[in-house]
Amino acid sequence: MTSAAAVSIRNVSKTFGKGGTKALQNIELDFQPGEFVSLIGPSGCGKSTLLRVIGDLVEPTEGEALIGGKPAHQARLDRDYGMVFQEATLMDWRTIEKNVSLPLELMGWAREKRRDRVRELLELVELTGFEGHYPWQLSGGMQQRVAIARALTFNPSLILMDEPFGALDEMTRDRLNLELLRIWEATSATVVFVTHSIFEAVFLSSRVVVMSARPGRVQKVVEIDLPYPRTTETREDVHFFELATEVRELLRESHSGRDAAPEGT
Amino acid sequence: MTRLRHATTEWLPALAILVLGLVGWELAVKAFGIQKFLLPKPSEILTAFWDQRDILWPAGWYTFTEAFWGFVIGVSFGIGAAVVLARFRALGSALMPYFIAASAIPIIAFAPIANAWFGIEKSSKIFIAALLCFFPVLVNTLRGLTSVKPQQVELMRSYAARDFTVFKRVRIPTSLPYVFASLKVASVLAMIGAIVGEYFGGSQQQLGIQIKNSAALFQFETAWAAILVACILGVGFYLAVSLAEILTMRRYPSAERARR
Amino acid sequence: MRRVGYTGASDCGTEYVVTVNVLKRVGIFLLVLAATCAFYMGYRQLFLSTGWTWPFKVDQYAMPRLQDIVSRLWEPAATEQPPLAQLLVQRALFTAREAAVGFAIGALVGIAIGVVFHFSNLMRRGFQPYVVGSQTVPILAIAPMVVIWLGGQGLPVWMPVAVISAFLTFFPVAINTLRGLDSTDPRKLELMRSYAASEWSTLWRVKFPCSLPYLFSAFKVAATASVVGAIIGELPSSIQDGLGGAILNFAQYYSLDPSALWATNIIAALLGILFFCIVAVTEHFVVRRAPENVA
């Protein structure tokens, strides 16, 4: 356990309600700074719960999560991370610009500084010119880009993403995967990415954490030794398929007996 | 057992407030020497409530029946009209703004004319109460009937369901929360209508007149006792509608979810 | 980059559609107006000629002619007095002031109650039954007492009526404020938690905007309630200068001059509708939402 680890998960378990569902069991994980880690597993394996434990939105029944050596609770209060959810969760009554500047308002930034930063970020996610639009005027993919911009406003060293592209069509998803990698390289943050999609996990990450069915345990961590920067060619690489197959077979093992097969089968 | 305990903890604060309120009221009147025409003591009010019960309770019941029948008539016409308009959608949506405007009219101003039409006995008050209930119930029921998600209708049609079946199985459950919300409002409006209607002209057997007369005769404890009667009846009416709502919703659990 | 959004059709196409829409609306309005008048006159004529007495006997006092009602507005209110219309508008403005103040007070009190109930379960369990029960108190009965309580405090003479108007107004606002605050999207609340936002920040930036639709729906009900409350409040308060006084006055002389009371009703109706429209228009500019999808 080094204080250099971006995220340390120490023996985290979570049970909901007294004697209720056990979502997570004895999770031990370390993520290094600048890594891109995916969490993948069958439905109900607790990956979203684990992400929320890291983000101090859910309290673990046992164990703790540390972010840059700090307890998760403190990290949340210090705003050390940005989070992107599956639904863009944009505020309908705010323009795109005001949506992105929301965290900055909370941190008390001056208006000029806010405007400049928002402009910078909208450029990063390639949405320049949409400042005055409202969320419902944008497509799903664009809304998610706004959500990503919002998560990056205060330059966090850690980004938590909970199936952000889950509700989008495949073409948009592929495009946004490339964009996400580009943004990641520009910001050099650590990313913890929850997904259902094997291809997406392998394409984006440096490591894939495969979780077992409920109660969620770490089944195996797969090293993705594909080179960065990754491109559309990477998707056609033989090694890419080998890694995807490895992940798929791990998932099939963890499923054993369950009906639903994950995406990409 | 836990349900009983749950119910007690739910109602305990309200009960505590009631006791504290009444005790505080009693003491404050005594301590500050507040005169009767400003605020009588709860004990005096309750005494008058009991002493005058032969006059007040029948009067209250009489007024309540005015409100009740007005409620029944107004609600029936309101729901009926809404059902018809839901069927002829174009007509319904064209007229909706006018119904909404009609419910914005202070119908109470019509009470003296109703008295001229029907005399000062029951009928005029029933008419006013019905008129007051009609528009809110119509607007809300129509809104409820037409706020069904398109996917639900599509699903039913994929089962080759007839219009009537769609109505019965989808629109009615969806509209129930709206209907009951408006019924609760209507119950209060009906009582208001009955009492205000009586103010413009009524006979001794009506509660509104009792309030008016006893206040005029400086019998303030009686006036407040009469107000107490009106409150009890009003609350009872409201609770009866709420009970009907709970019993009906039990048959249609999806209605609760449809509201969200 | 292509813009995705609800941009309209070509310019001249949009203009055409808008004009047709406006004409349609005006047409429907005229149609409804004509139908109402026709219904009134038709009913009157039918009952006059047949002499039926159920549900009520129709004569020139029960149902004056439409022309008489309308023309009455232009006749003097009483002998050697300005026209009735002028008098009624003055009275209406007086009542409008009471109603507006009552609306403001009631809205503020209602929102405050809603916020308190939202944050404190204890307060809600303790006081909600009484908030609901308060509406069963016949305001007509307590109006004179409110007048006495508030009289002589250096307040304007119509203030007690405004308080009574507020009494009818606060309830729908309180109920809907609570519902609106309680029904905020939990995902938005989670987002705010991830920003370690304070309760106040979350209330102001998320919960309030989310509950605006609920608030405005309550405001529309409250607008009418405030006018009704003001009129009812004037009745026993012996306040002569408002519509309530006018109603009482013309009710007294109904057998001599029925058209005056009908005309008063029309003005009162217009006042209620005006208040409602003001709220509806404000809502249009304040509440910006995505278009709904209903069948």
Side-chain angles (χ1 to χ4, degrees), chain A residues 25-263:
Chain A
Q25 189 162 310
N26 305 113
I27 309 284
E28 282 275 338
L29 284 170
D30 273 318
F31 304 146
Q32 298 309 313
E35 264 204 278
F36 196 119
V37 181
S38 286
L39 303 177
I40 195 169
S43 293
C45 70
K47 47 194 193 290
S48 288
T49 311
L50 181 59
L51 198 74
R52 281 171 169 75
V53 167
I54 300 174
D56 188 42
L57 296 171
V58 165
E59 224 181 288
T61 323
E62 275 167 42
E64 60 172 352
L66 298 168
I67 301 184
K70 268 189 245 179
H73 182 68
Q74 191 58 43
R76 179 171 68 88
L77 295 176
D78 293 344
R79 302 193 180 107
D80 286 344
Y81 70 85
M83 191 150 177
V84 181
F85 302 87
Q86 182 167 33
E87 288 94 9
T89 316
L90 301 176
M91 312 288 173
D92 268 358
W93 58 90
R94 283 176 170 236
T95 56
I96 298 302
E97 178 175 0
K98 297 221 76 183
N99 260 293
V100 177
S101 71
L102 176 63
L104 302 177
E105 285 174 30
L106 293 171
M107 295 196 242
W109 282 31
R111 186 180 304 175
E112 276 309 311
K113 265 185 84 184
R114 288 203 310 253
R115 196 175 308 161
D116 291 337
R117 181 72 179 141
V118 168
R119 204 159 294 162
E120 221 181 293
L121 286 161
L122 286 180
E123 216 182 292
L124 183 65
V125 300
E126 291 181 1
L127 280 177
T128 316
F130 284 91
E131 285 91 347
H133 280 63
Y134 284 93
W136 71 80
Q137 293 174 300
L138 268 55
S139 69
M142 293 162 91
Q143 288 182 16
Q144 275 299 11
R145 281 192 273 160
V146 175
I148 293 172
R150 181 178 61 188
L152 295 172
T153 41
F154 46 97
N155 223 352
S157 53
L158 172 66
I159 304 174
L160 305 175
M161 305 181 89
D162 188 4
E163 298 191 60
F165 309 136
L168 304 173
D169 65 271
E170 182 128 15
M171 298 311 301
T172 315
R173 191 184 247 199
D174 283 348
R175 248 191 44 228
L176 287 177
N177 279 349
L178 285 167
E179 280 202 34
L180 180 59
L181 283 180
R182 178 179 56 80
I183 295 169
W184 171 58
E185 267 149 45
T187 60
S188 57
T190 316
V191 178
V192 182
F193 189 91
V194 169
T195 180
H196 258 140
S197 162
I198 301 176
F199 284 143
E200 189 174 58
V202 173
F203 181 73
L204 292 171
S205 340
S206 48
R207 286 197 293 160
V208 174
V209 176
V210 180
M211 295 180 69
S212 66
R214 187 184 298 150
R217 282 167 300 246
V218 175
Q219 195 173 340
K220 183 155 183 222
V221 179
V222 179
E223 291 284 333
I224 308 291
D225 50 353
L226 295 165
Y228 286 103
R230 299 186 184 164
T231 62
T232 41
E233 272 87 47
T234 316
R235 279 196 229 275
E236 294 157 15
D237 195 83
V238 173
H239 193 44
F240 175 78
F241 282 107
E242 288 170 355
L243 289 164
T245 313
E246 188 183 339
V247 173
R248 181 171 316 122
E249 298 200 322
L250 285 166
L251 281 167
R252 205 170 281 152
E253 267 173 50
S254 79
H255 254 147
S256 51
R258 291 182 62 137
D259 290 323
E263 219 188 284

Side-chain angles (χ1 to χ4, degrees), chain C residues 46-240:
Chain C
L46 179 66
F47 274 66
L48 271 180
S49 41
T50 55
W52 289 337
T53 52
W54 193 91
F56 60 90
K57 182 165 180 299
V58 175
D59 55 27
Q60 69 195 107
Y61 296 107
M63 289 178 84
R65 287 187 312 168
L66 263 184
Q67 313 92 291
D68 292 339
I69 297 175
V70 176
S71 62
R72 182 71 185 81
L73 285 166
W74 274 263
E75 291 166 19
T79 34
E80 295 181 28
Q81 288 261 315
L84 183 63
Q86 190 179 331
L87 174 83
L88 286 179
V89 168
Q90 276 172 349
R91 298 289 180 91
L93 285 174
F94 186 87
T95 306
R97 180 174 45 176
E98 295 165 335
V101 173
F103 181 89
I105 298 175
L108 287 173
V109 170
I111 291 176
I113 293 179
V115 171
V116 167
F117 281 6
H118 171 71
F119 281 115
S120 166
N121 222 343
L122 188 65
M123 294 290 266
R124 178 155 60 91
R125 281 183 293 155
F127 285 100
Q128 192 172 27
Y130 304 109
V131 167
V132 176
S134 72
Q135 300 300 294
T136 60
V137 174
I139 52 171
L140 197 58
I142 58 171
M145 303 184 203
V146 174
V147 172
I148 298 174
W149 291 341
L150 292 180
Q153 307 272 11
L155 292 165
V157 69
W158 47 262
M159 190 49 105
V161 179
V163 168
I164 292 164
S165 169
F167 190 80
L168 278 191
T169 314
F170 89 90
F171 179 71
V173 176
I175 293 292
N176 268 29
T177 304
L178 180 61
R179 267 186 67 205
L181 293 175
D182 280 347
S183 70
T184 317
D185 187 359
R187 295 176 299 221
K188 295 195 171 68
L189 297 179
E190 198 178 36
L191 183 75
M192 293 303 272
R193 270 200 73 209
S194 81
Y195 294 142
S198 64
E199 275 294 353
W200 171 254
S201 252
T202 310
L203 177 70
W204 184 242
R205 290 177 205 281
V206 178
K207 289 184 184 174
F208 251 135
C210 276
S211 44
L212 275 181
Y214 289 86
L215 261 186
F216 269 95
S217 121
F219 282 161
K220 284 189 270 201
V221 172
T224 310
S226 68
V227 173
V228 170
I231 293 178
I232 296 182
E234 288 173 1
L235 296 176
S237 316
S238 30
I239 289 183
Q240 300 286 4

